[in-house]
Amino acid sequence: MQPENSIVFEIFKGVSFSPHQIDLIENQIEKITLKKGDTLLKVQEIVHFQYYVNEGCLRTYFIDQAGKEHTLQFAIKDWWISDYTAFFSSTPAIMNIECIQDAILYRISKASMESLFAEIPQLETFFRKKMEGAFASFQKRILASLAQPAKERYSAFIKSYPDIEQNVKNYHIASYLGITTESLSRIRKESHAK
Amino acid sequence: MQPENSIVFEIFKGVSFSPHQIDLIENQIEKITLKKGDTLLKVQEIVHFQYYVNEGCLRTYFIDQAGKEHTLQFAIKDWWISDYTAFFSSTPAIMNIECIQDAILYRISKASMESLFAEIPQLETFFRKKMEGAFASFQKRILASLAQPAKERYSAFIKSYPDIEQNVKNYHIASYLGITTESLSRIRKESHAK
């Protein structure tokens, strides 16, 4: 592959690398294809990787003691996904990740990341900034769950994931917003009536 | 101050620095003392700093459209606090931070951080790991708010902030858990009855 066409530039958009650094990174990332319905990660598994979504859509969910599903995150093109609690602390997964639309992913292990950071400081900067953005968006989401009515949380969701509604099931969205599918339908009708 | 006694070692525990690096960092951090009731940050202010808590306790809160307060975070010794959404994106604060127990803080600006990272890579690693831990704990908290009954969220809160109950008001804790003060009293009675 010509260095300038390397997937590395797509994954780490905006970062400059030398040809040698591109080689190093390419040796540590691995392409994965998934079909709709495939499971990427199951509760209790040890989490070695985080995943860059190049195409498709995935969903992170959690099943509570009563057997009810809760969607924590959707990941679409250009997002990273993993059970980060488990990934960062090297503990078993507390969440499941499933593919909800045929997907192409690139995975990188925690060990690879740490060794690449030592060689390529701008990669560590990239991930630090990614984490900052993700942290800020989680902070906003916690605020929203404490303070915003479901209708506003639905609007914010549509802004974050503009094309997602065609691809995911209603109960996924409802469980992401922490509401019933009936409430979701009502909110949608009210939004469209405006 | 003797380098080995520098506050830098307390703030960035576990990181090795050369005497020159300690100087660089000391020049960029600033000590602040606050009295109980003082405001550290107000909604709409531009957020230039994050703060390391050396002593005392602070609270980040948000006031919704109906005028109701929601506590997002408490920070005790060894925690970092800011309106991170605003700090990372250089936008006006969406939260307030108040001192709820006399405090000694050390602040560092975003600009100082970026310039120090260029000189001291291990400082960037420190903050990347901090962000990872904070991100994982927020991920857990979102899961909890979606899936756990208030009683379990209260137990998790007591574990995260073991000594906090003596220092903060009941309505702070209730608004952190997203419940009423009446529910909090009931949960406490039930917990202590066991």
Side-chain angles (χ1 to χ4, degrees), chain A residues 175-188:
Chain A
S175 76
Y176 176 91
L177 297 171
I179 59 178
T180 62
T181 47
E182 291 73 25
S183 301
L184 178 63
S185 305
R186 193 173 27 78
I187 289 169
R188 274 191 177 143

Side-chain angles (χ1 to χ4, degrees), chain B residues 69-112:
Chain B
E69 268 188 24
H70 303 272
T71 300
L72 185 75
Q73 198 198 337
F74 295 102
I76 50 179
K77 184 175 172 52
D78 234 20
W79 288 53
W80 290 80
I81 194 165
S82 189
D83 176 340
Y84 282 104
T85 309
F87 179 69
F88 292 137
S89 60
S90 301
T91 51
I94 53 173
M95 291 170 243
N96 305 284
I97 303 179
E98 70 164 351
C99 177
I100 55 178
Q101 193 192 345
D102 291 2
I104 299 172
L105 310 177
Y106 289 86
R107 73 179 193 183
I108 184 164
S109 75
K110 206 182 160 189
S112 295

